[in-house]
mmCIF file of all heavy atoms in Angstrom:
data_model
loop_
_atom_site.group_PDB
_atom_site.id
_atom_site.type_symbol
_atom_site.label_atom_id
_atom_site.label_comp_id
_atom_site.label_asym_id
_atom_site.label_seq_id
_atom_site.Cartn_x
_atom_site.Cartn_y
_atom_site.Cartn_z
ATOM 1 N N MET A 1 27.840 -58.681 10.126
ATOM 2 C CA MET A 1 27.751 -57.326 9.613
ATOM 3 C C MET A 1 29.007 -57.041 8.793
ATOM 4 O O MET A 1 30.112 -57.445 9.151
ATOM 5 C CB MET A 1 27.620 -56.330 10.766
ATOM 6 C CG MET A 1 27.415 -54.907 10.303
ATOM 7 S SD MET A 1 27.352 -53.686 11.634
ATOM 8 C CE MET A 1 25.797 -54.056 12.379
ATOM 9 N N ASN A 2 28.839 -56.326 7.726
ATOM 10 C CA ASN A 2 29.941 -55.948 6.855
ATOM 11 C C ASN A 2 30.983 -55.161 7.648
ATOM 12 O O ASN A 2 30.650 -54.270 8.434
ATOM 13 C CB ASN A 2 29.379 -55.113 5.704
ATOM 14 C CG ASN A 2 30.423 -54.733 4.690
ATOM 15 O OD1 ASN A 2 31.577 -54.525 5.020
ATOM 16 N ND2 ASN A 2 30.001 -54.640 3.451
ATOM 17 N N THR A 3 32.254 -55.485 7.426
ATOM 18 C CA THR A 3 33.338 -54.831 8.171
ATOM 19 C C THR A 3 33.356 -53.326 7.951
ATOM 20 O O THR A 3 33.566 -52.567 8.903
ATOM 21 C CB THR A 3 34.693 -55.441 7.762
ATOM 22 O OG1 THR A 3 34.645 -56.853 7.959
ATOM 23 C CG2 THR A 3 35.823 -54.871 8.583
ATOM 24 N N ALA A 4 33.120 -52.876 6.720
ATOM 25 C CA ALA A 4 33.122 -51.433 6.437
ATOM 26 C C ALA A 4 31.981 -50.729 7.159
ATOM 27 O O ALA A 4 32.154 -49.626 7.685
ATOM 28 C CB ALA A 4 33.031 -51.190 4.932
ATOM 29 N N ILE A 5 30.830 -51.358 7.187
ATOM 30 C CA ILE A 5 29.680 -50.766 7.888
ATOM 31 C C ILE A 5 29.950 -50.717 9.385
ATOM 32 O O ILE A 5 29.667 -49.718 10.051
ATOM 33 C CB ILE A 5 28.396 -51.560 7.586
ATOM 34 C CG1 ILE A 5 28.019 -51.408 6.117
ATOM 35 C CG2 ILE A 5 27.250 -51.106 8.485
ATOM 36 C CD1 ILE A 5 26.875 -52.305 5.668
ATOM 37 N N LYS A 6 30.530 -51.787 9.921
ATOM 38 C CA LYS A 6 30.838 -51.841 11.346
ATOM 39 C C LYS A 6 31.855 -50.759 11.723
ATOM 40 O O LYS A 6 31.724 -50.099 12.745
ATOM 41 C CB LYS A 6 31.357 -53.229 11.699
ATOM 42 C CG LYS A 6 31.323 -53.553 13.144
ATOM 43 C CD LYS A 6 31.620 -55.030 13.362
ATOM 44 C CE LYS A 6 31.424 -55.384 14.811
ATOM 45 N NZ LYS A 6 31.678 -56.782 15.086
ATOM 46 N N LYS A 7 32.881 -50.564 10.865
ATOM 47 C CA LYS A 7 33.876 -49.526 11.128
ATOM 48 C C LYS A 7 33.236 -48.149 11.077
ATOM 49 O O LYS A 7 33.502 -47.298 11.925
ATOM 50 C CB LYS A 7 35.018 -49.611 10.122
ATOM 51 C CG LYS A 7 36.106 -48.581 10.389
ATOM 52 C CD LYS A 7 37.140 -48.546 9.296
ATOM 53 C CE LYS A 7 38.229 -47.537 9.522
ATOM 54 N NZ LYS A 7 37.868 -46.279 10.107
ATOM 55 N N ASN A 8 32.376 -47.913 10.106
ATOM 56 C CA ASN A 8 31.692 -46.630 9.982
ATOM 57 C C ASN A 8 30.827 -46.364 11.214
ATOM 58 O O ASN A 8 30.817 -45.255 11.742
ATOM 59 C CB ASN A 8 30.848 -46.601 8.708
ATOM 60 C CG ASN A 8 30.287 -45.231 8.425
ATOM 61 O OD1 ASN A 8 30.970 -44.235 8.576
ATOM 62 N ND2 ASN A 8 29.026 -45.189 8.018
ATOM 63 N N GLN A 9 30.119 -47.385 11.664
ATOM 64 C CA GLN A 9 29.277 -47.240 12.848
ATOM 65 C C GLN A 9 30.144 -46.913 14.071
ATOM 66 O O GLN A 9 29.798 -46.033 14.865
ATOM 67 C CB GLN A 9 28.482 -48.521 13.095
ATOM 68 C CG GLN A 9 27.513 -48.423 14.241
ATOM 69 C CD GLN A 9 26.757 -49.720 14.459
ATOM 70 O OE1 GLN A 9 27.241 -50.804 14.138
ATOM 71 N NE2 GLN A 9 25.575 -49.620 15.009
ATOM 72 N N ALA A 10 31.269 -47.603 14.206
ATOM 73 C CA ALA A 10 32.170 -47.343 15.332
ATOM 74 C C ALA A 10 32.738 -45.929 15.257
ATOM 75 O O ALA A 10 32.862 -45.255 16.279
ATOM 76 C CB ALA A 10 33.289 -48.377 15.355
ATOM 77 N N ASP A 11 33.075 -45.472 14.061
ATOM 78 C CA ASP A 11 33.587 -44.108 13.892
ATOM 79 C C ASP A 11 32.551 -43.070 14.313
ATOM 80 O O ASP A 11 32.868 -42.093 15.000
ATOM 81 C CB ASP A 11 34.007 -43.857 12.448
ATOM 82 C CG ASP A 11 35.259 -44.615 12.045
ATOM 83 O OD1 ASP A 11 35.994 -45.092 12.942
ATOM 84 O OD2 ASP A 11 35.499 -44.728 10.828
ATOM 85 N N ILE A 12 31.324 -43.278 13.894
ATOM 86 C CA ILE A 12 30.241 -42.345 14.249
ATOM 87 C C ILE A 12 30.017 -42.340 15.751
ATOM 88 O O ILE A 12 29.907 -41.283 16.376
ATOM 89 C CB ILE A 12 28.949 -42.706 13.495
ATOM 90 C CG1 ILE A 12 29.120 -42.426 12.000
ATOM 91 C CG2 ILE A 12 27.750 -41.941 14.059
ATOM 92 C CD1 ILE A 12 28.018 -43.007 11.135
ATOM 93 N N LEU A 13 29.963 -43.518 16.350
ATOM 94 C CA LEU A 13 29.761 -43.605 17.797
ATOM 95 C C LEU A 13 30.923 -42.977 18.558
ATOM 96 O O LEU A 13 30.718 -42.331 19.589
ATOM 97 C CB LEU A 13 29.569 -45.062 18.220
ATOM 98 C CG LEU A 13 28.226 -45.676 17.864
ATOM 99 C CD1 LEU A 13 28.258 -47.188 18.076
ATOM 100 C CD2 LEU A 13 27.101 -45.052 18.674
ATOM 101 N N SER A 14 32.129 -43.142 18.043
ATOM 102 C CA SER A 14 33.297 -42.547 18.693
ATOM 103 C C SER A 14 33.216 -41.027 18.679
ATOM 104 O O SER A 14 33.481 -40.371 19.695
ATOM 105 C CB SER A 14 34.566 -43.022 17.983
ATOM 106 O OG SER A 14 35.696 -42.480 18.596
ATOM 107 N N ARG A 15 32.843 -40.457 17.549
ATOM 108 C CA ARG A 15 32.688 -38.991 17.468
ATOM 109 C C ARG A 15 31.564 -38.510 18.385
ATOM 110 O O ARG A 15 31.691 -37.482 19.053
ATOM 111 C CB ARG A 15 32.431 -38.575 16.024
ATOM 112 C CG ARG A 15 33.665 -38.667 15.145
ATOM 113 C CD ARG A 15 33.486 -37.950 13.815
ATOM 114 N NE ARG A 15 32.359 -38.440 13.033
ATOM 115 C CZ ARG A 15 32.413 -39.431 12.153
ATOM 116 N NH1 ARG A 15 33.550 -40.059 11.944
ATOM 117 N NH2 ARG A 15 31.351 -39.794 11.475
ATOM 118 N N LEU A 16 30.483 -39.256 18.413
ATOM 119 C CA LEU A 16 29.359 -38.898 19.279
ATOM 120 C C LEU A 16 29.767 -38.962 20.751
ATOM 121 O O LEU A 16 29.415 -38.080 21.543
ATOM 122 C CB LEU A 16 28.181 -39.841 19.010
ATOM 123 C CG LEU A 16 26.876 -39.573 19.740
ATOM 124 C CD1 LEU A 16 26.340 -38.188 19.404
ATOM 125 C CD2 LEU A 16 25.847 -40.629 19.374
ATOM 126 N N TYR A 17 30.540 -39.980 21.099
ATOM 127 C CA TYR A 17 31.010 -40.130 22.474
ATOM 128 C C TYR A 17 31.923 -38.957 22.857
ATOM 129 O O TYR A 17 31.774 -38.378 23.933
ATOM 130 C CB TYR A 17 31.751 -41.459 22.621
ATOM 131 C CG TYR A 17 32.261 -41.732 24.007
ATOM 132 C CD1 TYR A 17 31.378 -41.931 25.072
ATOM 133 C CD2 TYR A 17 33.618 -41.798 24.270
ATOM 134 C CE1 TYR A 17 31.844 -42.181 26.352
ATOM 135 C CE2 TYR A 17 34.092 -42.052 25.546
ATOM 136 C CZ TYR A 17 33.198 -42.247 26.583
ATOM 137 O OH TYR A 17 33.666 -42.498 27.847
ATOM 138 N N ASP A 18 32.842 -38.587 21.969
ATOM 139 C CA ASP A 18 33.726 -37.446 22.236
ATOM 140 C C ASP A 18 32.923 -36.163 22.435
ATOM 141 O O ASP A 18 33.207 -35.376 23.345
ATOM 142 C CB ASP A 18 34.723 -37.258 21.091
ATOM 143 C CG ASP A 18 35.769 -38.358 21.033
ATOM 144 O OD1 ASP A 18 35.961 -39.072 22.038
ATOM 145 O OD2 ASP A 18 36.391 -38.505 19.961
ATOM 146 N N MET A 19 31.928 -35.962 21.595
ATOM 147 C CA MET A 19 31.087 -34.779 21.711
ATOM 148 C C MET A 19 30.328 -34.782 23.046
ATOM 149 O O MET A 19 30.218 -33.750 23.723
ATOM 150 C CB MET A 19 30.092 -34.722 20.551
ATOM 151 C CG MET A 19 29.234 -33.480 20.535
ATOM 152 S SD MET A 19 28.137 -33.383 19.102
ATOM 153 C CE MET A 19 27.048 -34.758 19.415
ATOM 154 N N LYS A 20 29.830 -35.945 23.429
ATOM 155 C CA LYS A 20 29.081 -36.041 24.688
ATOM 156 C C LYS A 20 29.994 -35.751 25.874
ATOM 157 O O LYS A 20 29.575 -35.090 26.836
ATOM 158 C CB LYS A 20 28.457 -37.436 24.802
ATOM 159 C CG LYS A 20 27.417 -37.566 25.886
ATOM 160 C CD LYS A 20 26.252 -36.627 25.734
ATOM 161 C CE LYS A 20 25.446 -36.884 24.490
ATOM 162 N NZ LYS A 20 24.258 -36.004 24.405
ATOM 163 N N LEU A 21 31.240 -36.217 25.825
ATOM 164 C CA LEU A 21 32.180 -35.932 26.910
ATOM 165 C C LEU A 21 32.457 -34.432 27.022
ATOM 166 O O LEU A 21 32.587 -33.908 28.131
ATOM 167 C CB LEU A 21 33.486 -36.694 26.708
ATOM 168 C CG LEU A 21 33.409 -38.201 26.884
ATOM 169 C CD1 LEU A 21 34.786 -38.830 26.634
ATOM 170 C CD2 LEU A 21 32.888 -38.579 28.257
ATOM 171 N N ARG A 22 32.529 -33.743 25.884
ATOM 172 C CA ARG A 22 32.695 -32.277 25.919
ATOM 173 C C ARG A 22 31.480 -31.612 26.555
ATOM 174 O O ARG A 22 31.610 -30.638 27.306
ATOM 175 C CB ARG A 22 32.957 -31.733 24.521
ATOM 176 C CG ARG A 22 34.351 -32.044 24.006
ATOM 177 C CD ARG A 22 34.700 -31.262 22.754
ATOM 178 N NE ARG A 22 33.831 -31.552 21.619
ATOM 179 C CZ ARG A 22 34.023 -32.538 20.738
ATOM 180 N NH1 ARG A 22 35.061 -33.341 20.870
ATOM 181 N NH2 ARG A 22 33.187 -32.713 19.738
ATOM 182 N N GLN A 23 30.292 -32.141 26.274
ATOM 183 C CA GLN A 23 29.079 -31.593 26.880
ATOM 184 C C GLN A 23 29.077 -31.822 28.390
ATOM 185 O O GLN A 23 28.658 -30.947 29.157
ATOM 186 C CB GLN A 23 27.835 -32.232 26.257
ATOM 187 C CG GLN A 23 27.582 -31.812 24.834
ATOM 188 C CD GLN A 23 26.404 -32.548 24.212
ATOM 189 O OE1 GLN A 23 26.035 -33.641 24.632
ATOM 190 N NE2 GLN A 23 25.824 -31.942 23.193
ATOM 191 N N VAL A 24 29.554 -32.984 28.823
ATOM 192 C CA VAL A 24 29.656 -33.271 30.259
ATOM 193 C C VAL A 24 30.602 -32.269 30.910
ATOM 194 O O VAL A 24 30.283 -31.707 31.964
ATOM 195 C CB VAL A 24 30.136 -34.721 30.504
ATOM 196 C CG1 VAL A 24 30.498 -34.939 31.967
ATOM 197 C CG2 VAL A 24 29.079 -35.733 30.068
ATOM 198 N N GLU A 25 31.748 -32.054 30.276
ATOM 199 C CA GLU A 25 32.722 -31.109 30.816
ATOM 200 C C GLU A 25 32.123 -29.705 30.935
ATOM 201 O O GLU A 25 32.315 -29.019 31.937
ATOM 202 C CB GLU A 25 33.975 -31.084 29.934
ATOM 203 C CG GLU A 25 35.108 -30.277 30.509
ATOM 204 C CD GLU A 25 35.630 -30.837 31.808
ATOM 205 O OE1 GLU A 25 35.645 -32.062 31.986
ATOM 206 O OE2 GLU A 25 36.020 -30.020 32.673
ATOM 207 N N HIS A 26 31.389 -29.296 29.940
ATOM 208 C CA HIS A 26 30.755 -27.978 29.970
ATOM 209 C C HIS A 26 29.730 -27.891 31.104
ATOM 210 O O HIS A 26 29.660 -26.889 31.820
ATOM 211 C CB HIS A 26 30.099 -27.681 28.620
ATOM 212 C CG HIS A 26 29.544 -26.304 28.522
ATOM 213 N ND1 HIS A 26 28.205 -26.033 28.661
ATOM 214 C CD2 HIS A 26 30.159 -25.111 28.311
ATOM 215 C CE1 HIS A 26 28.020 -24.732 28.543
ATOM 216 N NE2 HIS A 26 29.179 -24.157 28.329
ATOM 217 N N ALA A 27 28.941 -28.940 31.267
ATOM 218 C CA ALA A 27 27.934 -28.958 32.336
ATOM 219 C C ALA A 27 28.607 -28.915 33.704
ATOM 220 O O ALA A 27 28.106 -28.267 34.627
ATOM 221 C CB ALA A 27 27.049 -30.198 32.211
ATOM 222 N N LEU A 28 29.749 -29.595 33.839
ATOM 223 C CA LEU A 28 30.492 -29.552 35.102
ATOM 224 C C LEU A 28 30.968 -28.133 35.398
ATOM 225 O O LEU A 28 30.885 -27.664 36.531
ATOM 226 C CB LEU A 28 31.693 -30.501 35.046
ATOM 227 C CG LEU A 28 31.403 -31.983 35.221
ATOM 228 C CD1 LEU A 28 32.647 -32.806 34.904
ATOM 229 C CD2 LEU A 28 30.917 -32.278 36.622
ATOM 230 N N GLN A 29 31.470 -27.444 34.375
ATOM 231 C CA GLN A 29 31.947 -26.075 34.548
ATOM 232 C C GLN A 29 30.809 -25.135 34.918
ATOM 233 O O GLN A 29 31.019 -24.170 35.648
ATOM 234 C CB GLN A 29 32.641 -25.593 33.276
ATOM 235 C CG GLN A 29 33.943 -26.282 32.996
ATOM 236 C CD GLN A 29 34.540 -25.890 31.658
ATOM 237 O OE1 GLN A 29 33.957 -25.133 30.892
ATOM 238 N NE2 GLN A 29 35.716 -26.424 31.367
ATOM 239 N N GLN A 30 29.619 -25.420 34.414
ATOM 240 C CA GLN A 30 28.461 -24.576 34.704
ATOM 241 C C GLN A 30 27.857 -24.894 36.076
ATOM 242 O O GLN A 30 27.009 -24.148 36.558
ATOM 243 C CB GLN A 30 27.385 -24.765 33.627
ATOM 244 C CG GLN A 30 27.828 -24.347 32.233
ATOM 245 C CD GLN A 30 28.144 -22.874 32.169
ATOM 246 O OE1 GLN A 30 27.426 -22.041 32.680
ATOM 247 N NE2 GLN A 30 29.259 -22.540 31.522
ATOM 248 N N GLY A 31 28.271 -26.016 36.665
ATOM 249 C CA GLY A 31 27.751 -26.391 37.978
ATOM 250 C C GLY A 31 26.353 -26.965 37.926
ATOM 251 O O GLY A 31 25.637 -26.964 38.923
ATOM 252 N N ASN A 32 25.946 -27.463 36.774
ATOM 253 C CA ASN A 32 24.605 -28.013 36.597
ATOM 254 C C ASN A 32 24.669 -29.527 36.797
ATOM 255 O O ASN A 32 24.859 -30.285 35.857
ATOM 256 C CB ASN A 32 24.082 -27.662 35.194
ATOM 257 C CG ASN A 32 22.615 -27.950 35.040
ATOM 258 O OD1 ASN A 32 22.053 -28.748 35.770
ATOM 259 N ND2 ASN A 32 21.992 -27.308 34.065
ATOM 260 N N SER A 33 24.494 -29.980 38.042
ATOM 261 C CA SER A 33 24.714 -31.380 38.365
ATOM 262 C C SER A 33 23.670 -32.311 37.748
ATOM 263 O O SER A 33 24.010 -33.419 37.316
ATOM 264 C CB SER A 33 24.768 -31.582 39.878
ATOM 265 O OG SER A 33 23.526 -31.246 40.463
ATOM 266 N N LEU A 34 22.416 -31.893 37.680
ATOM 267 C CA LEU A 34 21.386 -32.758 37.094
ATOM 268 C C LEU A 34 21.646 -32.959 35.602
ATOM 269 O O LEU A 34 21.601 -34.085 35.106
ATOM 270 C CB LEU A 34 19.991 -32.174 37.319
ATOM 271 C CG LEU A 34 18.836 -33.003 36.747
ATOM 272 C CD1 LEU A 34 18.837 -34.395 37.351
ATOM 273 C CD2 LEU A 34 17.512 -32.305 37.012
ATOM 274 N N HIS A 35 21.932 -31.874 34.914
ATOM 275 C CA HIS A 35 22.245 -31.969 33.487
ATOM 276 C C HIS A 35 23.490 -32.831 33.288
ATOM 277 O O HIS A 35 23.559 -33.645 32.359
ATOM 278 C CB HIS A 35 22.446 -30.578 32.900
ATOM 279 C CG HIS A 35 22.537 -30.552 31.419
ATOM 280 N ND1 HIS A 35 23.377 -29.705 30.756
ATOM 281 C CD2 HIS A 35 21.902 -31.264 30.449
ATOM 282 C CE1 HIS A 35 23.268 -29.900 29.458
ATOM 283 N NE2 HIS A 35 22.381 -30.850 29.250
ATOM 284 N N CYS A 36 24.465 -32.683 34.157
ATOM 285 C CA CYS A 36 25.683 -33.465 34.086
ATOM 286 C C CYS A 36 25.382 -34.955 34.250
ATOM 287 O O CYS A 36 25.936 -35.784 33.528
ATOM 288 C CB CYS A 36 26.659 -32.998 35.160
ATOM 289 S SG CYS A 36 28.271 -33.754 35.037
ATOM 290 N N GLN A 37 24.519 -35.307 35.174
ATOM 291 C CA GLN A 37 24.159 -36.713 35.388
ATOM 292 C C GLN A 37 23.485 -37.306 34.155
ATOM 293 O O GLN A 37 23.765 -38.445 33.768
ATOM 294 C CB GLN A 37 23.239 -36.854 36.596
ATOM 295 C CG GLN A 37 23.931 -36.624 37.913
ATOM 296 C CD GLN A 37 22.953 -36.629 39.082
ATOM 297 O OE1 GLN A 37 21.746 -36.720 38.900
ATOM 298 N NE2 GLN A 37 23.485 -36.523 40.289
ATOM 299 N N VAL A 38 22.604 -36.543 33.541
ATOM 300 C CA VAL A 38 21.929 -37.001 32.332
ATOM 301 C C VAL A 38 22.940 -37.208 31.205
ATOM 302 O O VAL A 38 22.928 -38.242 30.523
ATOM 303 C CB VAL A 38 20.823 -36.009 31.901
ATOM 304 C CG1 VAL A 38 20.283 -36.351 30.525
ATOM 305 C CG2 VAL A 38 19.713 -35.968 32.929
ATOM 306 N N LEU A 39 23.825 -36.244 31.026
ATOM 307 C CA LEU A 39 24.839 -36.356 29.983
ATOM 308 C C LEU A 39 25.781 -37.529 30.236
ATOM 309 O O LEU A 39 26.185 -38.226 29.296
ATOM 310 C CB LEU A 39 25.629 -35.053 29.867
ATOM 311 C CG LEU A 39 24.857 -33.856 29.327
ATOM 312 C CD1 LEU A 39 25.674 -32.579 29.503
ATOM 313 C CD2 LEU A 39 24.479 -34.063 27.875
ATOM 314 N N GLN A 40 26.124 -37.772 31.494
ATOM 315 C CA GLN A 40 26.992 -38.898 31.812
ATOM 316 C C GLN A 40 26.304 -40.225 31.509
ATOM 317 O O GLN A 40 26.945 -41.156 31.023
ATOM 318 C CB GLN A 40 27.424 -38.836 33.278
ATOM 319 C CG GLN A 40 28.465 -37.772 33.540
ATOM 320 C CD GLN A 40 28.802 -37.613 35.002
ATOM 321 O OE1 GLN A 40 27.967 -37.819 35.881
ATOM 322 N NE2 GLN A 40 30.035 -37.229 35.284
ATOM 323 N N ALA A 41 25.016 -40.314 31.781
ATOM 324 C CA ALA A 41 24.267 -41.531 31.455
ATOM 325 C C ALA A 41 24.226 -41.735 29.942
ATOM 326 O O ALA A 41 24.373 -42.870 29.451
ATOM 327 C CB ALA A 41 22.854 -41.449 32.031
ATOM 328 N N GLU A 42 24.036 -40.650 29.199
ATOM 329 C CA GLU A 42 24.045 -40.747 27.736
ATOM 330 C C GLU A 42 25.422 -41.177 27.234
ATOM 331 O O GLU A 42 25.524 -42.025 26.339
ATOM 332 C CB GLU A 42 23.659 -39.400 27.112
ATOM 333 C CG GLU A 42 22.212 -39.030 27.331
ATOM 334 C CD GLU A 42 21.884 -37.632 26.833
ATOM 335 O OE1 GLU A 42 22.818 -36.857 26.501
ATOM 336 O OE2 GLU A 42 20.689 -37.311 26.770
ATOM 337 N N ALA A 43 26.469 -40.616 27.812
ATOM 338 C CA ALA A 43 27.833 -40.976 27.416
ATOM 339 C C ALA A 43 28.099 -42.454 27.692
ATOM 340 O O ALA A 43 28.704 -43.148 26.866
ATOM 341 C CB ALA A 43 28.849 -40.101 28.148
ATOM 342 N N GLU A 44 27.624 -42.935 28.807
ATOM 343 C CA GLU A 44 27.805 -44.347 29.142
ATOM 344 C C GLU A 44 27.084 -45.249 28.141
ATOM 345 O O GLU A 44 27.628 -46.267 27.706
ATOM 346 C CB GLU A 44 27.310 -44.628 30.558
ATOM 347 C CG GLU A 44 27.545 -46.055 31.007
ATOM 348 C CD GLU A 44 27.089 -46.306 32.436
ATOM 349 O OE1 GLU A 44 26.826 -45.355 33.175
ATOM 350 O OE2 GLU A 44 27.000 -47.477 32.793
ATOM 351 N N ALA A 45 25.868 -44.874 27.754
ATOM 352 C CA ALA A 45 25.115 -45.659 26.776
ATOM 353 C C ALA A 45 25.830 -45.679 25.415
ATOM 354 O O ALA A 45 25.912 -46.724 24.763
ATOM 355 C CB ALA A 45 23.702 -45.098 26.625
ATOM 356 N N ILE A 46 26.371 -44.530 25.026
ATOM 357 C CA ILE A 46 27.108 -44.457 23.756
ATOM 358 C C ILE A 46 28.365 -45.312 23.849
ATOM 359 O O ILE A 46 28.694 -46.050 22.907
ATOM 360 C CB ILE A 46 27.457 -42.990 23.417
ATOM 361 C CG1 ILE A 46 26.177 -42.196 23.152
ATOM 362 C CG2 ILE A 46 28.403 -42.921 22.216
ATOM 363 C CD1 ILE A 46 26.386 -40.686 23.147
ATOM 364 N N PHE A 47 29.060 -45.253 24.971
ATOM 365 C CA PHE A 47 30.275 -46.043 25.162
ATOM 366 C C PHE A 47 29.968 -47.539 25.074
ATOM 367 O O PHE A 47 30.709 -48.296 24.435
ATOM 368 C CB PHE A 47 30.923 -45.705 26.499
ATOM 369 C CG PHE A 47 32.200 -46.443 26.748
ATOM 370 C CD1 PHE A 47 33.361 -46.088 26.079
ATOM 371 C CD2 PHE A 47 32.257 -47.492 27.648
ATOM 372 C CE1 PHE A 47 34.544 -46.760 26.294
ATOM 373 C CE2 PHE A 47 33.434 -48.173 27.871
ATOM 374 C CZ PHE A 47 34.591 -47.808 27.199
ATOM 375 N N ASN A 48 28.879 -47.961 25.683
ATOM 376 C CA ASN A 48 28.487 -49.371 25.620
ATOM 377 C C ASN A 48 28.159 -49.788 24.192
ATOM 378 O O ASN A 48 28.530 -50.887 23.766
ATOM 379 C CB ASN A 48 27.313 -49.646 26.553
ATOM 380 C CG ASN A 48 27.702 -49.563 28.014
ATOM 381 O OD1 ASN A 48 28.871 -49.754 28.370
ATOM 382 N ND2 ASN A 48 26.751 -49.247 28.877
ATOM 383 N N ALA A 49 27.490 -48.933 23.455
ATOM 384 C CA ALA A 49 27.199 -49.224 22.053
ATOM 385 C C ALA A 49 28.481 -49.289 21.230
ATOM 386 O O ALA A 49 28.617 -50.118 20.338
ATOM 387 C CB ALA A 49 26.252 -48.169 21.483
ATOM 388 N N LEU A 50 29.430 -48.428 21.569
ATOM 389 C CA LEU A 50 30.709 -48.419 20.874
ATOM 390 C C LEU A 50 31.471 -49.717 21.122
ATOM 391 O O LEU A 50 32.070 -50.285 20.197
ATOM 392 C CB LEU A 50 31.538 -47.215 21.343
ATOM 393 C CG LEU A 50 32.891 -46.978 20.703
ATOM 394 C CD1 LEU A 50 32.778 -46.852 19.189
ATOM 395 C CD2 LEU A 50 33.536 -45.735 21.294
ATOM 396 N N LYS A 51 31.450 -50.212 22.349
ATOM 397 C CA LYS A 51 32.102 -51.487 22.647
ATOM 398 C C LYS A 51 31.497 -52.614 21.817
ATOM 399 O O LYS A 51 32.227 -53.480 21.331
ATOM 400 C CB LYS A 51 32.003 -51.817 24.128
ATOM 401 C CG LYS A 51 32.891 -50.978 25.013
ATOM 402 C CD LYS A 51 32.996 -51.495 26.428
ATOM 403 C CE LYS A 51 31.667 -51.540 27.138
ATOM 404 N NZ LYS A 51 31.760 -51.850 28.556
ATOM 405 N N LEU A 52 30.187 -52.602 21.659
ATOM 406 C CA LEU A 52 29.522 -53.638 20.873
ATOM 407 C C LEU A 52 29.833 -53.519 19.388
ATOM 408 O O LEU A 52 29.884 -54.523 18.675
ATOM 409 C CB LEU A 52 28.013 -53.586 21.088
ATOM 410 C CG LEU A 52 27.501 -53.995 22.466
ATOM 411 C CD1 LEU A 52 26.004 -53.762 22.570
ATOM 412 C CD2 LEU A 52 27.844 -55.448 22.744
ATOM 413 N N ALA A 53 30.048 -52.298 18.913
ATOM 414 C CA ALA A 53 30.292 -52.065 17.498
ATOM 415 C C ALA A 53 31.712 -52.451 17.090
ATOM 416 O O ALA A 53 31.979 -52.658 15.922
ATOM 417 C CB ALA A 53 30.048 -50.593 17.155
ATOM 418 N N ARG A 54 32.601 -52.546 18.047
ATOM 419 C CA ARG A 54 34.002 -52.877 17.729
ATOM 420 C C ARG A 54 34.243 -54.327 17.806
ATOM 421 O O ARG A 54 33.957 -55.262 17.701
ATOM 422 C CB ARG A 54 34.942 -52.195 18.700
ATOM 423 C CG ARG A 54 34.984 -50.707 18.446
ATOM 424 C CD ARG A 54 36.006 -50.038 19.275
ATOM 425 N NE ARG A 54 36.061 -48.636 18.891
ATOM 426 C CZ ARG A 54 36.792 -47.756 19.484
ATOM 427 N NH1 ARG A 54 37.550 -48.084 20.469
ATOM 428 N NH2 ARG A 54 36.787 -46.513 19.083
#
């Protein structure tokens, strides 16, 4: 894969991961444990994709 494309993909995934972590934090503050679990699973999937993209 082209290095520039790979970097762009990693940048996008990194921003998405940061956004998802903020959503997890918000769900924790709201006390919504089921929503928090779903968001944490999504964050983990994004993190795994980010590891592969780097």
Side-chain angles (χ1 to χ4, degrees):
M1 184 183 289
N2 183 327
T3 305
I5 293 172
K6 197 170 187 179
K7 182 187 180 322
N8 189 42
Q9 184 181 27
D11 290 343
I12 291 168
L13 286 168
S14 181
R15 287 194 302 271
L16 184 60
Y17 181 66
D18 290 342
M19 184 176 66
K20 193 59 64 176
L21 291 179
R22 287 192 298 273
Q23 290 175 336
V24 169
E25 188 63 34
H26 186 259
L28 283 170
Q29 291 174 357
Q30 297 297 316
N32 192 338
S33 63
L34 180 59
H35 190 217
C36 187
Q37 289 174 355
V38 170
L39 292 170
Q40 285 175 329
E42 291 174 349
E44 184 178 346
I46 294 166
F47 182 74
N48 290 335
L50 183 56
K51 287 192 299 188
L52 291 174
R54 289 187 175 175

